[in-house]
Structure formats: C-alpha cells, structure tokens
Amino acid sequence: MASIRNGAQRGSAKFDRPLKPRPRPSSPGSAVRRPNRNDAVLGRVRVAVRLRPRNAEEMMADADFADCVEVQPELKRLKLRRNNWDSDTYEFDEVLTEYASQKRVYEVVAKPVVESVLDGYNGTVMAYGQTGTGKTFTLGRLGEGDTSDRGIMVRSMEDILADLSPDTDSITVSYLQLYMETLQDLLNPANDNIPIVDDPRTGDVSLPGATIVEIRDQQSFLELLSVGEANRIAANTKLNTESSRSHAILMVHIKRSVIENEDIVSSQNGDTSHLIKPSKPLVRKSKLVVVDLAGSERVHKSGSEGHMLEEAKSINLSLSSLGKCINSLAENSAHVPFRDSKLTRMLRDSFGGTARTSLIVTIGPSPRHRGETSSTILFGQRAMKVENMLKIKEEFDYKSLSRKLEVQLDKLIAENERQQKAFEDEVEKINLEAQCRIAEVERNFADGLEKERLKCQMEYMELVKELEQKLVLNQGRNDRNSFVADSGEGPAQPSPNELAEVKMLLETESKRRKEAEEEVKRLKNQLGIYTQADAGGDLETIKLHNMLEDEVNQKKKLEDEIIILRSQLLQLTFEADQMRRCLESGSSGSTFSAMDSSMTQVRHSQFKDTGNGQKSSVATLFEQVGLQKILSLLESDDANVRIHAVKVVANLAAEEANQKRIVESGGLTSLLMLLRRYEDETVRRVAAGAIANLAMNEANQELIMAEGGITLLSMTASDAEDPQTLRMVAGAIANLCGNDKILMTLRSQGGIKALLGIVRCGHPDVLSQVARGIANFAKCESRASNQGIKSGRSILIEDGALPWIVQNANNEAAPIRRHIELALCHLAQHEVNAKDMISGGALWELVRISRDCSREDIRSLARRTLSSIPPFKAELRRLRVEY
C-alpha cells in the first residue's frame, strides 16, 4: 500500500498571492494604489519539483529497470518507488514532467516572484538538487542557439525590463559565486573575498565591494551573464561532465518611482467627491535573488578526489547548513542557525524573512540514485512548511521630486517667455497684413461693384428681350401642339381627334417642305438667268441671294419641325396602341391599373423592345431622318427637341444591331454630354437608360469607362431623387459590374460607392438593380480570385457593402433576394472574407440559404461553401449548428 509522507493536503498547499492584481502604470510617474508599508503579508515558500529526462548513460545502464519516480502533474503529486510493489507519495505546489518547457517552468515557478518584486517585495528563486539534474539548465540557460531554452534568469530580466520605465526606474545587477566558503565576484574575478555585512537595524545583508552593473537593455544583461558563466568554477565528474563547484547568486536590485494617492477626505457635509490629499513621491526598492546551488553529491558516486574532494565537502557542508535552517524554521524552533555558513547568511531574508520565495527541486529518474532523489524530495517537503512575512520597502523621495520640479519650472518659464515674444511678433505681423489686405479689398470691391452693376443692367435688358421673343414663340407653339411635355408624371392620354390633328399637321408640313424645295429650285434657275444677264442686274442678284438664304433657313426649320412631329406621332401612336390593348384585355376593374403600368413602362423602362409596331415605327423614322440628324438634335437649344431626340436614341440603342452605328457616330459621347451639361430630370433619366442599353454590350463597356462614363453616372446618382432615374443609373452601373477587366477602374472611379449610395431611394425596382450590380461584381471578383488575378479581401467588404447585403438577404422582393443570395455565396467562397462575414452576421444568412433558398443551384452552392471553408466549419461547430 502506498503511503503519503509529509504531504500536506492539496488545499493547504495551494499558493495564493496575497496581493490584488498589480496595477500597471500607463505612463512613468502615474498614480498607483499602494499597500500599507507597515502591513506584513503571510507567504509560504512555494516548492515545485522538476523531473529530468534520462540521459544517454542512464538509457544504457538502466535500460532494464523502470524509473524510480512517477509524476502525476494533474494531481500535483509525485510517487517515489521503494520497490516493485510499494511507493511513497508526495504532494508539491507544482509537479513538472520531463517534457515541461522552459517557458512553463518560468511561469509556474518564477513569474509570481518577479511580479511581487515589481510590486515592491523582495523575491528569491532557488534551485536545489543532486548534481547533474538540470539546476543550471533551469536557471541560467542563455538560449543563444534556441530561444525556447532560455532559463529563469533571462526570462525574469525580460519581464522586468518590459515593466519598468528607463526614465524613472533603475535596475542594477551583481553576479557572485560562493566557492569554498569564499564569496567571489563573477564580474570581476580579482575581487575574490567579498565580506558579508549585516545591518543591525533592518537585518538586511549588504555586500560591500561587489561589482554593481546598471542594466538598460536585454543584450547587456546577456553579455553580463556570459561573462559570469565563463568565470564560474566547474569540473568533470562521473555524474556530470560540467558539474558546478560553487553556488551562483544573481542579485537584481530594482528602484521604482511611484506616486501615492492618499485616502479621500470627507467634507463637513459628507461629500467625498472632490476632496483628495495631494500625492506623495515614493521610491520602492526591491531585490530579486536567483540562486543556482551546487549539486549535492556522494563522493563514492562522483569519484571526487584531491581538490575536488575538498570542493565536495564544502558544497555538502553549506547545503547541510541550509537544510538545518529550513528544518528549524519548519519546526518553529526558537533558534535558527543562519550564521553556520555564508550561504545561509545570504539567504536569511529568503527563508523566514520578508521575501517571496520559490524553490524548484530537480530530480533524476535513475533508480541508482534513489537515495539522493529521496533526500531532495524531503528537502522540498520541509521547505514547504516555511512561512515568510512579506513587506514592501519604500521611501519618500522629496529631494529628487524637488530637483525635478525646479528643472521643469525653469524650462517652462523660458519656454513661456519665448512663446510670449513669438506671439507678440506674430500678432503685430498679422495686424499689418490685415490692414493692407483690407485696404486692397475695399478698392477691388468698389471697382468690381461698379462693373458688376453695369454688366447686370446690360444682361437684364438682353434677357428681357429674349424672354419676350420666347414668349411669343411658345404661345404660337402651344397653339399648334396637342400634347404636354413630359414632366415626370407622364403625358395625358391622346384622343383620336388629337392623333388626326397631328397627322394633318405632319402632312401640311410635308407639303410645305415640297413647295419650299420647288421654290428653291425655281429661284436657283432664276439666279442662273440673272447671272447671265448684264451687269446692271447686280442689285437684283443680291436680292435673290438674300431670298435664297431665307428659304434655306426656312427649309431647315421645317425639317426640324417635321422630325419633332414624327417623333410625337410615334409616341402618340404607341401610347394609343398600348391603351387599346389594355382596354381589350382583362376586366374593366383592372383596365386602368394595367394602363398605368403600361404607360409607366413606356416612360421609364430602359427603352427595350415592347412591340413590333414600335420597332417598325422607330426603324421608319431612323431610315427617313438619318442617325446623324437625330444625334445632332441632342445638342438643340430647344428642350422639347432635345427630349424627343434622346428618346429616339434610347429606343434605337435597345436594338443590338444599332448600337455599333450609334457608338461609331458619336452617340455615346453625346449621351454622356447630356449627363454632364443638363439638369433636366427627363433628359438625365432617358440618357441614363440609353447608356444602360449600350452598356449591355461588352465592347461598349470599356469605351464608357474610358470617356468618364462611370464618373458622370456617379454624379447623376448623387444628385437625382426620382426613383426611375436612379433605376436607370443603377442598371447602367450593374451592367458595367459584369466585366472582369474594369473592376478595379470601376471601384477607383467611385462606381461601387455610387451603387451603394443609390439604396437611399428604397424603391424595390431600384434596389433590384443595385442587388444585380452587387451580384455581378461579386461573381467577377470571385472569378478573378480563382484565377489568381486578385488577392485579399473583397472590395465590396472594404467599401462597406456587407451590412446592406446581410440586411437585404431575406428581402420580401424575390429579385432582390435572389441577387443578394448569389452575391453572398460568391463572397463566401474565399477564406479571406470569412472573418468579416462571421462578425457581420453573414454566416447565419448562408445557413438560411442552404436550407430555405427556392433555387436548388444557389442552395447547393451555399452548402458546398459552408462545408469547404475552415473558418465557417469551426464557427458552426463552436455554435453547434447543423447545416
């Protein structure tokens, strides 16, 4: 049966830090809450045991024998076998296996001590064990070849340097060895007999004459350790090829400047919100001692003889004295023999004193050294019973604060004087410049005001004349026209009388045109006759020239009017056909709704084909008038002419056969000019629709981008408020989003931002076009990523489109929902987008799509994506979601 010896219950062996979490000052000199320096905190010595793995010699010699030690780190328990069927069990604060890393050893053994030292307490980390069990490896390994092998000394200094401020705090280091009861300086080998002096007032131990080096960075500390290790005495024994023959002691002194906030003082009425005593400067002095004890050894096993035998005797004597002191402290004896050796005198504060102490005992697995292993374990068990009274050592530092404040005050006074002088000079300079500028501005203003007054008078007179002329022309035109111009609400329904009147006007104008042509021919003949006559007919010739020019102008006007009338006739005929079809189909209750829908489609669609009658009418007009003439009317000064011309171009652009001729004839440039120059809502709406029709052809898309089309569309999208105009613009941008070659240019010129800005409208038709554009862009972007052309996060995510996509992924409108679901699937196919999609809520929409989407292809794509992207799989496993 296994027995438990000297093993306290695990609850009692738990190491609880008596301090609250240490506050980290955000800047040097910031206020921290300090414990009362007169209070003592109880802290037991914390002991950890570390098992060394078998070395090469043990693998050969002990190949047929089991290890004498069995560790149970999860229970913080160790078993020491006495024979094959019986063992002793011990409990420690930490049990580290042979596979424990140096980092873990540091964190469980030394890091709590280092944190206490940074809080102002003294601390000690000590390694004890048989020679060759890894004490120096645990404490003093530099890790030059492999940084993971760094020991406790190196890692402690890394944490200390990271926490302290070089401006207000200081770190000094001494590195010593106790050899043959002589204290020697490892940084200055010539100093080989350093005395130990006890302060009778405080009980502290001082070492006058020891070399003290100030540390500023980690590299200088590593160089210091290298020098010390080179000077440390070591020898080759049977148990260890590099056996340390001295106790190495690293002493790190820390001096920290902190500011104390005193307790809040209550006022007479009990208000404690703003009454605080002024802060006091403090200096905390703490010390970290790292002790690498020489290994205990038995002479008949180590083979020491001669001088090495004397060294072994000295080592064992000092370790025996240390054991006696720990036994006395564990048994609460009245007398503790600290003065029996120099080692115990130096460690007086570490055992039974005011320091936070951690002891790591190192053991080997070999059954040949079971006696030494048992002795080491019992030493650690006795050390766990030692309790220290932890105290902070701090002093008020008024002198340094006074000097510091005086220097700052002098600097502030000098800086204030410089700034005051510079301010006065600057004010004077600004005053002079302001006076000069005011005088100059007054002169320029007076001159400009007079010129502007004269200019305004002239422009006013000219505008009055032009308005009178236009008023007369408009009155005449209104009498002739039988329709109202498109104002965003659509024209009135045409009657048969109006159609007959328009046809009659068209026939009349055609007759007048033929008569004018005949008159022109007649005048040309007369001109030829008069030219052959005598020179006395010059006056008559000039008169005929003038008449001829008037006739030519009249002809041009008639031709323009004929084109307008034909366009109007085309529109009225088409509307009449639509109205007739609506009246013939359906019940009377739905007649007017169908009629309104048809009229809305005519007025606001992208001018696609809606009937054979319209196609034939547009083709007839195209053949009769000619494309160049129609495009020239886009620049007409008459708004009605311009509107009807752009409608004709839009209808022509809906036919793929006409698009090439329109682009080659400059129609695309003219449409873009309309977007740039005119603010008329109808012109911009129809022009955007025509551009959208042209953008359906991939050959035209690069031309639109090259001529700045996306910039003009973006400007139109930001200015427009009419839903139909925004739908045309969104449709044009959506068509451009489907071209792989222009994705980056489209993004750089603001196309994606404009598309996302259009969603402010909220109209379902507009949002459908926006969703289509996002789906096209996501599809092209996904294709570019698969081909290796593009890398990194999606442009849509970078431009902030993901929240809107997630918000509308389950929209009631089927077209919007279908496009958004497809866009989400394309975005999710690339792992680089997974993090943003998870945080933005898109993962849940993908799960919904994989379950509820009405289209099988999108549903399958969502399922494949969720099962192939690792972040999605991990998140769904974490949330325990089935898909």
Side-chain angles (χ1 to χ4, degrees), residues 15 19 123 192 232 246 326 359 390 414 502 527 547 560 569 636 652 658-659 674 700 792 797 817 827 842 876:
F15 181 78
L19 296 178
D192 57 357
R232 188 176 178 185
S246 65
I326 289 179
L359 172 66
L390 312 184
V502 171
L527 179 61
M547 291 175 63
D560 293 344
L569 178 61
S636 175
L652 292 173
N658 300 330
Q659 291 180 358
L674 290 178
N700 299 332
I797 294 178
R817 184 173 64 254
L827 288 175
L876 292 175

Side-chain angles (χ1 to χ4, degrees), residues 343 375 755 783:
L343 177 63
S375 176
L755 196 63
R783 188 159 51 238

Side-chain angles (χ1 to χ4, degrees), residues 56-117:
E57 180 186 355
E58 291 171 347
M59 288 182 181
M60 296 179 61
D62 302 333
D64 298 331
F65 300 94
D67 292 347
C68 67
V69 177
E70 178 185 353
V71 294
Q72 297 175 336
E74 65 280 358
L75 301 176
K76 298 184 179 179
R77 184 179 296 172
L78 177 145
K79 289 185 178 181
L80 180 64
R81 291 192 177 90
R82 287 188 289 182
N83 46 48
N84 291 337
W85 57 88
D86 196 9
S87 62
D88 297 328
T89 303
Y90 304 92
E91 290 189 62
F92 290 89
D93 295 301
E94 293 290 342
V95 175
L96 302 168
T97 67
E98 63 270 29
Y99 305 108
S101 65
Q102 291 282 74
K103 181 179 180 180
R104 170 160 173 75
V105 172
Y106 169 73
E107 288 180 347
V108 301
V109 175
K111 191 167 185 176
V113 177
V114 174
E115 291 179 350
S116 296
V117 171

Side-chain angles (χ1 to χ4, degrees), residues 267-365:
S267 60
Q268 294 180 356
N269 58 1
D271 184 13
T272 62
S273 58
H274 300 292
L275 300 177
I276 302 176
K277 287 185 180 180
S279 59
K280 297 179 182 179
L282 297 176
V283 175
R284 285 183 181 173
K285 296 180 180 179
S286 56
K287 177 177 63 175
L288 174 63
V289 179
V290 183
V291 183
D292 181 10
L293 295 174
S296 60
E297 62 182 54
R298 294 184 180 180
V299 176
H300 70 278
K301 289 186 178 182
S302 63
S304 300
E305 55 183 272
H307 184 66
M308 290 178 59
L309 180 61
E310 296 300 322
E311 292 175 345
K313 290 180 181 180
S314 177
I315 292 170
N316 290 335
L317 180 63
S318 61
L319 294 178
S320 176
S321 299
L322 178 61
K324 290 178 181 178
C325 292
I326 289 179
N327 287 339
S328 299
L329 290 169
E331 296 169 359
N332 293 323
S333 299
H335 172 69
V336 181
F338 283 112
R339 302 189 67 85
D340 286 359
S341 72
K342 290 186 177 181
L343 177 63
T344 54
R345 288 181 65 188
M346 293 185 65
L347 298 179
R348 183 171 186 174
D349 191 52
S350 303
F351 294 93
T354 62
R356 169 87 69 191
T357 301
S358 282
L359 172 66
I360 180 168
V361 294
T362 58
I363 58 176

Side-chain angles (χ1 to χ4, degrees), residues 43 310 530 576 763:
E310 296 300 322
Y530 288 130
H763 194 281

Side-chain angles (χ1 to χ4, degrees), residues 758-775:
I758 294 176
V759 302
R760 70 183 187 277
C761 175
H763 194 281
D765 292 341
V766 177
L767 297 183
S768 177
Q769 294 298 327
V770 174
R772 183 171 69 88
I774 289 176

Side-chain angles (χ1 to χ4, degrees), residues 158 181 288 444 465 524-525 572 578 651 737 766 876:
E158 288 177 353
E181 282 301 301
L288 174 63
N444 295 338
K465 293 179 181 179
K524 285 183 178 180
N525 294 332
L572 293 173
Q578 290 291 327
N651 280 301
C737 287
V766 177
L876 292 175

